[in-house]
Every structure is written in structure tokens, then in C-alpha cells.
Amino acid sequence: MPKFDFFHIINFVPIVCLILATIGNFIYLSWYGVLVSIFKILIIIALIVVEVNPIPNLIKHLSFLYSFIGRGTFYIFYGFLNFIPHVLGIIGAACTIVVGIVYIICYFLKVAIPHHMSYDCYKELVSGKTESLPVSTNPTY
């Protein structure tokens, strides 16, 4: 079981908000609402998998989630896509956008990025290596 810290909890806030916006889409019962909701459900499942148990084949295509600026931009973009004229959609999209803005502010303030969101973690997950390369203690030039 992975250890959950502050950033794990913050990463689940947009997921819950996106679930609210998806529920709001199902209320309209139109073909457009159903098709968009299916797409949203797939994205939500991918985000949950990235947070709980990263799979290397999925992580390869979601490398932008391993930096503050990438994750923040994704949340802002996806939040604006979730704006629908329903209370659940507006609340869910607004919360997602706020979390995205917080991540972009963290990037520019140079906040220390946690290991589970770092590029080093991404490289470890994609390459399958869990330890760094050995370093020689006696370099010869």
C-alpha cells in the first residue's frame, strides 16, 4: 500500500471533482452527454491508476503528470472542458481549475516536488530500474 502524503490528497481532489462533473453530464441524458461522460470516465480511471498503482505502459503516455507545470496545465485544460450548465459541472470544473492554478504557482515558487510526482520517479517506472547506476569511487581521467 503506497504511503499517502499531502500531494496525494491534493491529487485526489480534482479526481473527485471530475467525478461530480461526470455525474452532472449524465443528468442531461443526451448522446453528447453520454459520449463525453464515457471519455471522462476513462480519463478518471487513468488518473486513479497513476495515483494509486502506476503502470509503466500507461505512465509512458502521461509523462506530463510528473511535473507541477504539466499537471497544473492538464487540470486547468480538463477543468475548462468540464464546464457544463449544471451545478455539479460548475463546482467540479472550478475546483479542478483551482488545483491546476495551485500546481502552476508551486512550479514558479520552486516548491520541492515529491518523489511520486518527480521526473526521476517517471524514469524509474518507465525503465523498470529501481536503483541508480553504480558510481566509481576512484575515477581515472
Side-chain angles (χ1 to χ4, degrees), residues 52-127:
V52 176
N53 188 15
I55 300 171
N57 290 334
L58 179 65
I59 297 296
K60 252 188 271 187
H61 304 291
L62 298 175
S63 62
F64 56 88
L65 292 177
Y66 285 88
S67 69
F68 281 144
I69 193 81
R71 192 177 286 261
T73 306
F74 174 74
Y75 284 158
I76 290 172
F77 175 74
Y78 204 59
F80 277 116
L81 287 179
N82 280 310
F83 264 118
I84 56 172
H86 192 272
V87 174
L88 290 176
I90 293 171
I91 292 172
C95 291
T96 305
I97 291 169
V98 167
V99 172
I101 291 170
V102 167
Y103 274 133
I104 289 178
I105 291 171
C106 287
Y107 172 77
F108 286 112
L109 293 179
K110 305 293 184 200
V111 174
I113 192 163
H115 179 70
H116 69 87
M117 288 176 55
S118 68
Y119 186 69
D120 293 333
C121 179
Y122 168 75
K123 288 191 299 188
E124 289 174 5
L125 289 169
V126 172
S127 69

Side-chain angles (χ1 to χ4, degrees), residues 3-10 114-116:
K3 180 184 171 191
F4 287 97
D5 61 353
F6 176 73
F7 284 103
H8 272 296
I9 295 168
I10 293 298
H115 179 70
H116 69 87

Side-chain angles (χ1 to χ4, degrees), residues 21-44:
T22 305
I23 292 170
N25 251 8
F26 274 119
I27 291 174
Y28 287 112
L29 291 178
S30 66
W31 280 106
Y32 172 77
V34 171
L35 291 176
V36 170
S37 295
I38 291 171
F39 173 73
K40 288 180 184 181
I41 289 169
L42 293 176
I43 295 292
I44 291 168

